[in-house]
Amino acid sequence: MSCEENPPPSSPPIASLSSSPPSFPPKPFSSPLAVSSPSPASLHFIGTREYVIQAQRVTKLVNGCRDILVLYHQGELHAMDLRCYHAGGPLLNGDIEEFNGQSCIVCPWHKYKITLAEGEALYQAVDNPTLTPLRTRWCSKGVKQRVHKVTVVNGNVYVTLNDSSEVIESDAYQTEKFRANRFKGSPNPSPEFYKPIQKQSKKKPLF
Ligand code: FES
């Protein structure tokens, strides 16, 4: 994984299935200055630990090329790509719930579930659709969201980007091209990001 262009998603972004748009984030996200000394180049400063814990969720453009979300949940810090692997939804606004014993963020757009620890996509499978009531079990689609390593040094929170060369689906929403099209040059995150992507309406030919 690098700052270079990633392959396009397997399917293009689609419109939100939700009838109501996701709410805007409660406040702008900025990090206080680092308190301490220089750190290895691979460590990207996010904010003081106190600040991140208080904010619970912090977004940051890391290394000029990766929009990430840092979360504080049940005493642990997690980091992952900001935009959902499915269609680029804002995970910043997702609820965190337990599924199959794993803490997951639920994307606000189409409710896909992504584990905080590994970025695995979980779904419920139905064994036999003719049975009533239906019996379901949790399954994994594999790692779909790139997660990053969080380190705390001297009271400051740092992220080390996951530079695995394996293509992960959320990479598709981290390209300059995607940012340029989606945000039209506006700062990121901006209110634009929190609006669902509108589906292009196809005009019928007149004749
Ligand atoms: S964008 Fe569809 S579930 Fe996240």
Coordinates of all heavy atoms in Angstrom, one line a residue, residues 63-124:
N63 N 0.4 11.3 6.2 CA 1.4 11.2 5.2 C 0.9 11.9 3.9 O 1.4 11.5 2.8 CB 1.7 9.7 4.9 CG 3.2 9.6 4.6 OD1 4.0 10.5 4.9 ND2 3.6 8.5 4.0
G64 N -0.1 12.7 4.0 CA -0.6 13.4 2.8 C -1.3 12.5 1.8 O -1.7 13.0 0.7
C65 N -1.6 11.3 2.2 CA -2.2 10.4 1.2 C -3.3 9.4 1.8 O -3.9 8.7 1.0 CB -1.2 9.6 0.5 SG -0.3 8.4 1.6
R66 N -3.4 9.4 3.1 CA -4.3 8.3 3.6 C -5.2 9.0 4.7 O -4.8 9.5 5.7 CB -3.4 7.3 4.3 CG -4.2 5.9 4.5 CD -3.9 5.0 3.3 NE -4.8 3.9 3.3 CZ -4.9 3.2 2.2 NH1 -4.2 3.4 1.1 NH2 -5.8 2.2 2.2
D67 N -6.5 8.9 4.4 CA -7.5 9.4 5.4 C -7.8 8.3 6.3 O -8.3 7.3 5.9 CB -8.8 9.9 4.7 CG -8.6 11.1 3.9 OD1 -8.1 12.1 4.5 OD2 -8.8 11.1 2.7
I68 N -7.5 8.5 7.6 CA -7.7 7.4 8.6 C -8.6 7.9 9.7 O -8.8 9.1 9.9 CB -6.4 6.9 9.1 CG1 -5.7 8.0 9.9 CG2 -5.6 6.2 8.1 CD1 -4.8 7.4 10.9
L69 N -9.2 6.9 10.3 CA -10.1 7.2 11.5 C -9.4 6.5 12.7 O -9.1 5.3 12.6 CB -11.5 6.6 11.2 CG -12.4 6.4 12.4 CD1 -12.8 7.8 12.9 CD2 -13.7 5.7 11.9
V70 N -9.2 7.2 13.7 CA -8.7 6.6 15.0 C -9.9 6.6 16.0 O -10.5 7.6 16.2 CB -7.5 7.4 15.5 CG1 -7.0 6.8 16.8 CG2 -6.4 7.4 14.5
L71 N -10.1 5.4 16.6 CA -11.2 5.2 17.5 C -10.7 4.8 18.8 O -9.8 4.0 18.9 CB -12.1 4.1 17.0 CG -12.8 4.2 15.7 CD1 -12.9 2.9 15.0 CD2 -14.2 4.8 15.9
Y72 N -11.4 5.3 19.8 CA -11.2 4.8 21.2 C -12.4 4.0 21.6 O -13.5 4.6 21.6 CB -10.9 5.9 22.1 CG -10.6 5.5 23.6 CD1 -9.5 4.9 23.9 CD2 -11.6 5.7 24.6 CE1 -9.2 4.4 25.2 CE2 -11.4 5.3 25.9 CZ -10.2 4.7 26.2 OH -10.0 4.2 27.5
H73 N -12.3 2.7 21.9 CA -13.4 1.9 22.2 C -13.1 0.9 23.3 O -12.1 0.1 23.1 CB -13.9 1.2 21.0 CG -15.1 0.3 21.3 ND1 -16.4 0.8 21.6 CD2 -15.3 -1.0 21.3 CE1 -17.2 -0.2 21.8 NE2 -16.6 -1.3 21.6
Q74 N -13.8 1.0 24.4 CA -13.6 0.0 25.5 C -12.1 -0.1 25.9 O -11.6 -1.2 26.0 CB -14.2 -1.3 25.2 CG -15.7 -1.3 25.1 CD -16.3 -2.6 24.8 OE1 -15.6 -3.6 24.4 NE2 -17.6 -2.7 25.0
G75 N -11.5 1.0 26.1 CA -10.1 1.1 26.6 C -9.0 0.8 25.5 O -7.9 0.7 25.9
E76 N -9.4 0.6 24.3 CA -8.4 0.3 23.2 C -8.5 1.3 22.1 O -9.6 1.9 21.8 CB -8.6 -1.1 22.7 CG -8.2 -2.1 23.7 CD -8.3 -3.5 23.1 OE1 -8.2 -3.6 21.9 OE2 -8.4 -4.5 23.9
L77 N -7.4 1.6 21.5 CA -7.3 2.5 20.3 C -7.2 1.6 19.1 O -6.5 0.6 19.0 CB -6.1 3.4 20.5 CG -6.2 4.4 21.6 CD1 -4.8 4.9 22.0 CD2 -7.0 5.6 21.1
H78 N -7.9 2.1 18.1 CA -7.9 1.4 16.8 C -7.8 2.4 15.7 O -8.2 3.6 15.8 CB -9.2 0.6 16.5 CG -9.6 -0.4 17.6 ND1 -9.2 -1.7 17.6 CD2 -10.3 -0.2 18.8 CE1 -9.6 -2.3 18.6 NE2 -10.3 -1.5 19.4
A79 N -7.2 2.0 14.5 CA -7.2 2.9 13.4 C -7.5 2.1 12.1 O -7.1 1.0 12.0 CB -5.8 3.5 13.3
M80 N -8.2 2.8 11.2 CA -8.6 2.1 10.0 C -8.8 3.2 8.9 O -8.9 4.4 9.2 CB -9.8 1.3 10.1 CG -11.1 2.0 10.6 SD -12.6 0.9 10.5 CE -12.1 -0.4 11.6
D81 N -8.9 2.8 7.7 CA -9.2 3.7 6.6 C -10.6 4.4 6.9 O -11.5 3.7 7.4 CB -9.3 3.0 5.3 CG -8.0 2.7 4.7 OD1 -6.9 3.1 5.2 OD2 -7.9 2.0 3.6
L82 N -10.7 5.6 6.6 CA -11.8 6.4 7.0 C -13.1 6.0 6.2 O -14.2 6.0 6.7 CB -11.5 7.9 6.8 CG -12.7 8.9 7.0 CD1 -13.3 8.8 8.4 CD2 -12.2 10.3 6.7
R83 N -12.9 5.7 4.9 CA -14.1 5.4 4.1 C -14.3 3.9 3.9 O -13.4 3.1 3.7 CB -13.9 6.1 2.7 CG -13.9 7.6 2.8 CD -13.8 8.3 1.5 NE -12.5 8.6 1.1 CZ -11.7 9.6 1.6 NH1 -12.2 10.3 2.5 NH2 -10.5 9.7 1.2
C84 N -15.6 3.6 4.0 CA -16.0 2.1 4.0 C -15.6 1.5 2.7 O -15.8 2.1 1.6 CB -17.5 2.1 4.2 SG -18.2 0.5 4.0
Y85 N -15.2 0.2 2.8 CA -14.7 -0.5 1.6 C -15.9 -0.7 0.6 O -15.6 -0.9 -0.6 CB -14.2 -1.9 2.0 CG -15.2 -2.9 2.4 CD1 -15.8 -3.8 1.5 CD2 -15.7 -2.9 3.7 CE1 -16.8 -4.7 1.8 CE2 -16.7 -3.8 4.1 CZ -17.2 -4.7 3.1 OH -18.2 -5.6 3.5
H86 N -17.1 -0.7 1.0 CA -18.2 -1.0 0.1 C -18.5 0.0 -0.9 O -18.5 -0.2 -2.1 CB -19.5 -1.3 1.0 CG -20.7 -1.5 0.2 ND1 -21.9 -0.9 0.5 CD2 -20.9 -2.2 -0.9 CE1 -22.8 -1.2 -0.4 NE2 -22.2 -2.1 -1.3
A87 N -18.7 1.3 -0.4 CA -19.0 2.4 -1.4 C -18.5 3.7 -0.9 O -18.9 4.7 -1.3 CB -20.5 2.4 -1.7
G88 N -17.5 3.6 0.0 CA -16.9 4.9 0.5 C -17.6 5.6 1.6 O -17.4 6.8 1.8
G89 N -18.5 4.9 2.3 CA -19.3 5.6 3.4 C -18.4 6.1 4.5 O -17.3 5.6 4.8
P90 N -18.9 7.1 5.2 CA -18.1 7.7 6.3 C -18.2 6.9 7.6 O -19.1 7.1 8.4 CB -18.8 9.1 6.5 CG -20.2 8.9 6.1 CD -20.2 7.8 5.1
L91 N -17.2 6.1 7.9 CA -17.2 5.3 9.1 C -17.1 6.1 10.3 O -17.5 5.6 11.4 CB -16.0 4.3 9.0 CG -16.1 3.3 7.9 CD1 -14.9 2.3 8.0 CD2 -17.4 2.5 8.0
L92 N -16.7 7.3 10.2 CA -16.7 8.3 11.3 C -18.1 8.3 12.0 O -18.1 8.4 13.2 CB -16.3 9.7 10.8 CG -16.5 10.8 11.8 CD1 -15.5 10.7 13.0 CD2 -16.3 12.1 11.1
N93 N -19.1 8.2 11.2 CA -20.5 8.3 11.8 C -21.1 6.9 12.1 O -22.3 6.8 12.4 CB -21.4 9.0 10.8 CG -21.1 10.4 10.7 OD1 -20.3 11.0 11.5 ND2 -21.6 11.1 9.7
G94 N -20.3 5.8 12.1 CA -20.9 4.5 12.3 C -21.0 4.2 13.8 O -20.1 4.6 14.6
D95 N -22.0 3.4 14.2 CA -22.1 2.9 15.5 C -21.1 1.8 15.7 O -20.8 1.1 14.8 CB -23.5 2.4 15.8 CG -24.5 3.6 15.8 OD1 -24.1 4.7 16.1 OD2 -25.7 3.3 15.5
I96 N -20.7 1.6 17.0 CA -19.9 0.4 17.3 C -20.8 -0.6 18.1 O -21.4 -0.3 19.0 CB -18.6 0.8 18.1 CG1 -17.8 1.7 17.3 CG2 -17.9 -0.5 18.5 CD1 -16.5 2.2 17.9
E97 N -20.8 -1.8 17.5 CA -21.6 -2.9 18.2 C -20.8 -4.2 18.2 O -19.9 -4.3 17.4 CB -22.9 -3.1 17.4 CG -23.8 -1.8 17.4 CD -25.1 -2.0 16.5 OE1 -25.6 -3.2 16.4 OE2 -25.5 -1.1 15.9
E98 N -21.3 -5.1 19.0 CA -20.7 -6.4 19.1 C -21.4 -7.4 18.2 O -22.6 -7.5 18.3 CB -20.7 -6.9 20.6 CG -20.0 -6.1 21.6 CD -18.5 -6.2 21.5 OE1 -18.0 -7.3 21.4 OE2 -17.9 -5.1 21.4
F99 N -20.6 -8.1 17.4 CA -21.2 -9.1 16.6 C -20.3 -10.4 16.7 O -19.1 -10.2 16.5 CB -21.3 -8.7 15.1 CG -22.3 -7.6 14.9 CD1 -21.8 -6.3 14.7 CD2 -23.7 -7.7 14.9 CE1 -22.6 -5.2 14.6 CE2 -24.5 -6.7 14.7 CZ -24.0 -5.4 14.6
N100 N -20.9 -11.5 17.0 CA -20.1 -12.7 17.1 C -18.9 -12.5 18.0 O -17.8 -13.0 17.7 CB -19.6 -13.1 15.7 CG -19.4 -14.6 15.5 OD1 -20.0 -15.4 16.3 ND2 -18.5 -15.0 14.7
G101 N -19.1 -11.7 19.1 CA -18.0 -11.5 20.0 C -16.9 -10.6 19.6 O -15.9 -10.5 20.2
Q102 N -17.2 -9.9 18.5 CA -16.2 -8.9 18.0 C -16.7 -7.5 17.9 O -17.9 -7.3 17.5 CB -15.7 -9.4 16.6 CG -15.0 -10.7 16.6 CD -14.5 -11.1 15.2 OE1 -13.5 -10.7 14.8 NE2 -15.3 -11.9 14.5
S103 N -15.9 -6.5 18.3 CA -16.4 -5.2 18.2 C -16.3 -4.7 16.7 O -15.2 -4.9 16.1 CB -15.5 -4.2 19.0 OG -15.6 -4.6 20.4
C104 N -17.4 -4.2 16.2 CA -17.5 -3.9 14.8 C -18.0 -2.4 14.7 O -18.8 -2.0 15.5 CB -18.4 -4.7 14.1 SG -18.0 -6.5 14.0
I105 N -17.5 -1.7 13.7 CA -18.1 -0.5 13.3 C -19.2 -0.8 12.2 O -18.9 -1.6 11.3 CB -17.1 0.6 12.8 CG1 -17.8 1.9 12.7 CG2 -16.4 0.2 11.5 CD1 -16.8 3.1 13.1
V106 N -20.3 -0.2 12.4 CA -21.4 -0.4 11.4 C -21.5 0.8 10.5 O -21.8 1.9 11.0 CB -22.7 -0.6 12.2 CG1 -23.9 -0.9 11.2 CG2 -22.6 -1.8 13.2
C107 N -21.2 0.6 9.2 CA -21.2 1.7 8.3 C -22.6 2.4 8.3 O -23.6 1.7 8.1 CB -20.8 1.3 6.9 SG -20.8 2.6 5.7
P108 N -22.7 3.7 8.4 CA -24.0 4.4 8.4 C -24.7 4.3 7.1 O -25.9 4.5 7.1 CB -23.7 5.8 8.8 CG -22.2 6.0 8.4 CD -21.6 4.7 8.5
W109 N -24.1 4.0 6.0 CA -24.8 4.0 4.7 C -25.5 2.7 4.4 O -26.7 2.8 4.1 CB -23.8 4.3 3.6 CG -23.4 5.7 3.5 CD1 -23.8 6.7 4.3 CD2 -22.6 6.4 2.5 NE1 -23.3 7.9 3.9 CE2 -22.6 7.7 2.8 CE3 -22.0 5.9 1.3 CZ2 -21.9 8.6 2.0 CZ3 -21.3 6.8 0.5 CH2 -21.2 8.2 0.9
H110 N -24.9 1.6 4.5 CA -25.7 0.3 4.2 C -25.5 -0.7 5.3 O -25.8 -1.9 5.0 CB -25.2 -0.2 2.8 CG -25.1 0.8 1.7 ND1 -23.9 1.2 1.2 CD2 -26.1 1.5 1.1 CE1 -24.2 2.1 0.3 NE2 -25.5 2.3 0.2
K111 N -25.0 -0.3 6.4 CA -25.0 -1.1 7.6 C -24.0 -2.3 7.5 O -24.2 -3.3 8.2 CB -26.4 -1.6 8.0 CG -27.4 -0.5 8.1 CD -27.1 0.5 9.2 CE -28.1 1.6 9.2 NZ -27.6 2.8 10.0
Y112 N -23.0 -2.2 6.7 CA -22.0 -3.3 6.7 C -21.3 -3.3 8.0 O -21.0 -2.2 8.5 CB -21.1 -3.1 5.5 CG -21.6 -3.6 4.1 CD1 -23.0 -3.6 3.9 CD2 -20.7 -4.0 3.1 CE1 -23.5 -4.0 2.6 CE2 -21.2 -4.4 1.9 CZ -22.6 -4.4 1.7 OH -23.1 -4.8 0.4
K113 N -20.8 -4.4 8.4 CA -20.2 -4.5 9.7 C -18.7 -4.9 9.5 O -18.4 -5.8 8.8 CB -20.9 -5.6 10.6 CG -22.3 -5.2 10.9 CD -23.2 -6.4 11.0 CE -24.7 -5.9 11.2 NZ -25.3 -5.2 10.1
I114 N -17.8 -4.1 10.2 CA -16.4 -4.3 10.0 C -15.7 -4.4 11.3 O -15.9 -3.5 12.2 CB -15.8 -3.0 9.2 CG1 -16.5 -2.8 7.9 CG2 -14.3 -3.1 9.1 CD1 -16.3 -1.5 7.2
T115 N -14.9 -5.4 11.5 CA -14.3 -5.6 12.9 C -13.2 -4.5 13.1 O -12.5 -4.1 12.1 CB -13.7 -7.0 13.0 OG1 -12.6 -7.1 12.1 CG2 -14.7 -8.1 12.8
L116 N -13.2 -4.0 14.3 CA -12.2 -2.9 14.6 C -10.8 -3.5 14.6 O -9.9 -2.8 14.2 CB -12.5 -2.3 16.0 CG -13.8 -1.6 16.2 CD1 -13.9 -1.0 17.6 CD2 -14.0 -0.5 15.1
A117 N -10.7 -4.7 15.0 CA -9.3 -5.3 15.2 C -8.6 -5.6 13.9 O -7.4 -5.3 13.7 CB -9.4 -6.5 16.1
E118 N -9.4 -6.2 12.9 CA -8.8 -6.7 11.7 C -9.3 -6.1 10.4 O -8.7 -6.4 9.4 CB -9.0 -8.3 11.6 CG -8.6 -9.1 12.8 CD -7.1 -9.1 13.0 OE1 -6.4 -8.9 12.0 OE2 -6.6 -9.4 14.1
G119 N -10.4 -5.4 10.5 CA -11.0 -4.8 9.3 C -11.7 -5.9 8.5 O -11.9 -5.8 7.3
E120 N -12.1 -7.0 9.2 CA -12.8 -8.0 8.5 C -14.3 -7.7 8.3 O -14.9 -7.0 9.2 CB -12.8 -9.3 9.5 CG -12.2 -10.5 8.9 CD -12.3 -11.6 9.9 OE1 -12.0 -11.4 11.1 OE2 -12.7 -12.7 9.4
A121 N -14.9 -8.0 7.2 CA -16.3 -7.8 7.0 C -17.1 -9.0 7.4 O -16.8 -10.1 7.0 CB -16.5 -7.5 5.5
L122 N -18.1 -8.8 8.3 CA -18.9 -9.8 8.8 C -20.3 -9.8 8.2 O -20.8 -8.7 7.9 CB -19.0 -9.8 10.3 CG -17.8 -9.8 11.1 CD1 -18.1 -9.8 12.6 CD2 -16.9 -11.0 10.8
Y123 N -20.9 -10.9 8.0 CA -22.3 -10.9 7.5 C -23.0 -12.1 8.1 O -22.3 -13.1 8.6 CB -22.3 -11.0 6.0 CG -21.9 -12.3 5.4 CD1 -22.8 -13.3 5.0 CD2 -20.5 -12.5 5.2 CE1 -22.3 -14.4 4.4 CE2 -20.0 -13.7 4.7 CZ -20.9 -14.7 4.3 OH -20.5 -15.8 3.7
Q124 N -24.3 -12.1 8.1 CA -25.1 -13.2 8.6 C -25.5 -14.1 7.5 O -26.2 -13.6 6.5 CB -26.3 -12.7 9.4 CG -26.0 -12.5 10.8 CD -27.2 -12.1 11.6 OE1 -27.9 -11.1 11.2 NE2 -27.5 -12.8 12.7

